[in-house]
Amino acid sequence: MAAKDDPIIIKKYANRRLYNTGTSTYVTLEDLAEMVKKGEEFTVQDAKTGDDITHPVLTQIIFELENKDGQNMLPIPFLRQLIAFYGDQMQMIVPSFLEQSMIAFSKEQERFREQMKGAIGKSPLDVMKMATPMKALEEQTRRNMEMFQNAMRLFTPFPPAGSASAAAPAEPARKEAPEKPDDLQQLKDQIAAMQRKLDTMS
């Protein structure tokens, strides 16, 4: 018998129907999305083979949500960057980086929600004070990006032989500076998109 704290088992059948073994009812992807929002742990298994298919099902939920009007949360530049990492030597680092970034954001989200709710009806001066936590989040995101870039350098300590950077070792340092504002701007755009999403939820 499964322990109380064990994840709920969702079985997926060949006809694509999903069965919640915890409630003995059929559920939809929307039901699973609500379970995620409530913090309910579950795993999805192929009813025939018993294989764990939680990852593709969660990915399908994101796909469905992204295709709803006004729901899309993933900016196109972010999606392009993510796709570019598939098959790249950096692919093994990306999941950990994204996970840690989302954990950091999740820790702050309740405070942001309360401040945004409280901003309704306040004076412009009070609203301007809300910029401080957003700047703190931007700073955290910038630090995360720096950590990610440093991790990437560990895997590419030497430039390819015969490249321009091999002939001039100091060149990457000069090129790196102008790239950072672009990275930071993209991160700011992503933060702004998240803020707009929170605004619609409040």
Side-chain angles (χ1 to χ4, degrees), residues 136-154:
L137 179 61
E138 286 180 14
E139 178 62 21
Q140 177 65 43
T141 308
R142 186 187 64 78
R143 286 197 300 269
N144 285 351
M145 180 57 74
E146 287 180 355
M147 176 186 72
F148 181 59
Q149 289 173 338
N150 289 336
M152 288 175 62
R153 290 190 193 100
L154 292 177

Side-chain angles (χ1 to χ4, degrees), residues 111-179:
R111 185 156 61 93
F112 291 150
R113 287 181 198 273
E114 291 304 316
Q115 290 177 339
M116 288 177 185
K117 285 179 183 177
I120 299 174
K122 287 190 175 181
S123 69
L125 184 61
D126 291 330
V127 175
M128 284 175 63
K129 291 178 182 177
M130 288 180 58
T132 302
M134 288 307 297
K135 285 181 180 177
L137 179 61
E138 286 180 14
E139 178 62 21
Q140 177 65 43
T141 308
R142 186 187 64 78
R143 286 197 300 269
N144 285 351
M145 180 57 74
E146 287 180 355
M147 176 186 72
F148 181 59
Q149 289 173 338
N150 289 336
M152 288 175 62
R153 290 190 193 100
L154 292 177
F155 286 85
T156 54
F158 303 107
S163 68
S165 56
E171 188 65 19
R174 290 197 297 271
K175 285 184 178 179
E176 190 173 323
E179 289 176 0

Side-chain angles (χ1 to χ4, degrees), residues 83-96:
I83 291 169
F85 279 122
Y86 281 95
D88 189 272
Q89 61 181 352
M90 296 298 104
Q91 182 173 340
M92 66 180 71
I93 303 174
V94 174
S96 177

Side-chain angles (χ1 to χ4, degrees), residues 6-198:
D6 284 350
I8 298 167
I9 303 298
I10 307 293
K11 291 188 177 291
K12 185 174 184 181
Y13 291 89
N15 59 6
R16 297 187 179 183
R17 294 193 75 183
L18 298 162
Y19 184 77
N20 185 331
T21 61
T23 60
S24 300
T25 57
Y26 285 99
V27 294
T28 64
L29 289 176
E30 288 185 357
D31 294 326
L32 295 186
E34 287 303 315
M35 289 174 69
V36 170
K37 292 175 183 179
K38 292 176 182 177
E40 298 178 23
E41 292 288 333
F42 63 83
T43 59
V44 185
Q45 295 178 355
D46 185 293
K48 184 177 181 181
T49 65
D51 292 342
D52 188 329
I53 56 172
T54 308
H55 186 278
V57 169
L58 292 177
T59 305
Q60 187 179 357
I61 290 172
I62 292 173
F63 176 79
E64 295 289 338
L65 291 173
E66 284 289 311
N67 279 282
K68 285 188 176 181
D69 290 338
Q71 288 259 55
N72 55 325
M73 196 166 47
L74 303 176
I76 289 176
F78 172 79
L79 292 173
R80 291 184 189 278
Q81 290 170 341
L82 196 59
I83 291 169
F85 279 122
Y86 281 95
D88 189 272
Q89 61 181 352
M90 296 298 104
Q91 182 173 340
M92 66 180 71
I93 303 174
V94 174
S96 177
F97 169 73
L98 293 176
E99 183 178 5
Q100 292 305 315
S101 296
M102 288 306 295
I103 288 173
F105 178 74
S106 295
K107 288 178 180 177
E108 297 294 329
Q109 70 170 330
E110 286 307 319
R111 185 156 61 93
F112 291 150
R113 287 181 198 273
E114 291 304 316
Q115 290 177 339
M116 288 177 185
K117 285 179 183 177
I120 299 174
K122 287 190 175 181
S123 69
L125 184 61
D126 291 330
V127 175
M128 284 175 63
K129 291 178 182 177
M130 288 180 58
T132 302
M134 288 307 297
K135 285 181 180 177
L137 179 61
E138 286 180 14
E139 178 62 21
Q140 177 65 43
T141 308
R142 186 187 64 78
R143 286 197 300 269
N144 285 351
M145 180 57 74
E146 287 180 355
M147 176 186 72
F148 181 59
Q149 289 173 338
N150 289 336
M152 288 175 62
R153 290 190 193 100
L154 292 177
F155 286 85
T156 54
F158 303 107
S163 68
S165 56
E171 188 65 19
R174 290 197 297 271
K175 285 184 178 179
E176 190 173 323
E179 289 176 0
K180 284 187 177 179
D182 292 339
D183 291 340
L184 188 56
Q185 184 57 49
Q186 288 178 357
L187 292 170
K188 285 181 178 179
D189 292 342
Q190 292 173 22
I191 290 169
M194 286 188 281
Q195 185 174 3
R196 287 193 296 274
K197 179 68 176 176
L198 290 174

